[in-house]
Amino acid sequence: MNWDQLDWHILDRLREQFLRGAPGDYWRSAADLANYDFTFAQRIGWKWDAVLAELDRLGWRPPPGPVLDWGCGSGIAGRRVCEHFGLAPRRVFDRSTLAMEFAGGERWRGQPPGVLVLSHVLNELRELPAVIEQAEAILWVEPGTFADSRALIAVRETLRDRFHIVAPCTHRAPCGMTGSDWCHFFAEPPKGVLADPNWVRFAQRAGIDLRSLPYSYLVLDRRPFAVDGARVIGEPRRYKGYAKALLCEATGVRDTMIQKRDRSLKTIRSGTLLTLP
């Protein structure tokens, strides 16, 4: 697939289905999946890149065992995880046979996964997949909307007594996110995308902002894993000589002023881990 081969009518139809939240399978053909994987799925892949980079910073490595991409769609999430960590085998499951064929990998036959990958599936779930109880680790990425973040927080609260929390939380205590705040972060597109005329045309036609890649995520592991510090939630508000940021830590969520003398303000961004006095 390349930009000259792209079928804009397929993308228009898929976009309309996504916006309407149409029930059932999105995919009518392998061409649907190929066009989706080349465009919309890449934006999901950029979110996964941000999550995987954070796991590298934390020094986390996946447990042994196969990777299961559950609700795989075109397979973008499972491919990103396996390529990043050099994992195999990659198994796939989706209600759509077309999706599993396109995603590649082995069909899942109920085997316990080492790493369970879930991506942009919350809006289609009525209950948590039973395979969660078999997994050694879970990597889960969703959109960064208020509703999706809150839903993922509910998942965290359900599972935190059975798994250690790797990220984004720095603790295993009850979530302190209340009121109008929500746990979300911002990924960046690869260099050159914003100036690429093909991506610009796609963004204009799809009505999306390539600069805005909000996401929420949750990484769980049955093995103990400790993280020190407080996590910056959302984007800091910057002022002359200081910034204000929403920080999450075991004692709760607090709006904190960060002076320039405490830390270089240029390094503080969505998702940064801070250790402050």
Side-chain angles (χ1 to χ4, degrees):
M1 174 67 66
N2 58 47
W3 289 105
D4 292 331
Q5 297 169 327
L6 207 61
D7 189 323
W8 293 96
H9 297 296
I10 286 178
L11 293 180
D12 290 342
R13 174 173 54 79
L14 290 174
R15 178 65 172 168
E16 182 182 354
Q17 285 180 271
F18 299 153
L19 291 175
R20 287 191 291 110
D25 293 338
Y26 298 121
W27 322 116
R28 297 179 182 176
S29 66
D32 283 8
L33 286 145
N35 281 271
Y36 169 83
D37 193 67
F38 190 74
T39 52
F40 290 113
Q42 294 307 307
R43 299 181 73 245
I44 293 175
W46 301 338
K47 298 176 187 180
W48 275 96
D49 291 342
V51 171
L52 295 170
E54 179 59 22
L55 293 178
D56 283 348
R57 283 189 287 270
L58 294 175
W60 183 84
R61 295 289 300 175
V67 174
L68 171 59
D69 189 351
W70 195 95
C72 61
S74 70
I76 187 72
R79 293 198 306 269
R80 277 299 210 275
V81 171
C82 287
E83 290 167 4
H84 184 84
F85 290 117
L87 300 177
R90 175 172 60 91
R91 294 179 175 141
V92 296
F93 172 78
D94 198 282
R95 65 188 179 190
S96 167
T97 301
L98 277 173
M100 288 189 286
E101 290 174 352
F102 183 89
E106 302 174 9
R107 296 282 184 93
W108 179 55
R109 306 295 182 187
Q111 310 95 320
V115 177
L116 176 62
V117 173
L118 300 114
S119 183
H120 293 66
V121 296
L122 265 177
N123 64 333
E124 300 180 22
L125 294 182
R126 295 183 179 179
E127 58 186 10
L128 291 180
V131 69
I132 282 177
E133 300 300 334
Q134 299 177 290
E136 292 300 315
I138 299 171
L139 277 63
W140 197 328
V141 173
E142 291 290 338
T145 66
F146 181 89
D148 287 301
S149 170
R150 288 293 188 179
L152 201 53
I153 288 172
V155 172
R156 174 199 186 274
E157 295 303 279
T158 299
L159 299 178
R160 65 184 174 86
D161 61 338
R162 283 167 275 174
F163 290 86
H164 295 271
I165 300 174
V166 177
C169 316
T170 60
H171 60 88
R172 205 177 179 184
C175 179
M177 196 69 63
T178 59
S180 60
D181 296 318
W182 71 101
C183 187
H184 66 294
F185 308 91
F186 293 90
E188 294 182 356
K191 291 182 179 179
V193 165
L194 298 181
D196 186 316
N198 292 308
W199 276 110
V200 171
R201 181 189 177 195
F202 166 75
Q204 291 173 341
R205 183 151 180 166
I208 58 177
D209 185 351
L210 289 175
R211 299 167 299 176
S212 179
L213 288 167
Y215 66 96
S216 52
Y217 75 107
L218 183 63
V219 179
L220 305 174
D221 197 328
R222 294 194 189 274
R223 303 168 299 176
F225 192 87
V227 180
D228 295 325
R231 179 83 65 184
V232 175
I233 306 297
E235 287 290 1
R237 291 96 66 205
R238 303 180 188 278
Y239 307 94
K240 187 175 181 180
Y242 70 98
K244 285 187 175 181
L246 198 64
L247 299 186
C248 176
E249 53 191 341
T251 56
V253 177
R254 56 191 173 98
D255 202 26
T256 304
M257 179 183 293
I258 304 166
Q259 300 286 352
K260 188 174 183 179
R261 64 175 179 269
D262 295 327
R263 186 181 176 109
S264 173
L265 298 183
K266 293 182 180 179
T267 66
I268 299 172
R269 52 177 298 177
S270 168
T272 299
L273 272 178
L274 296 179
T275 302
L276 297 175

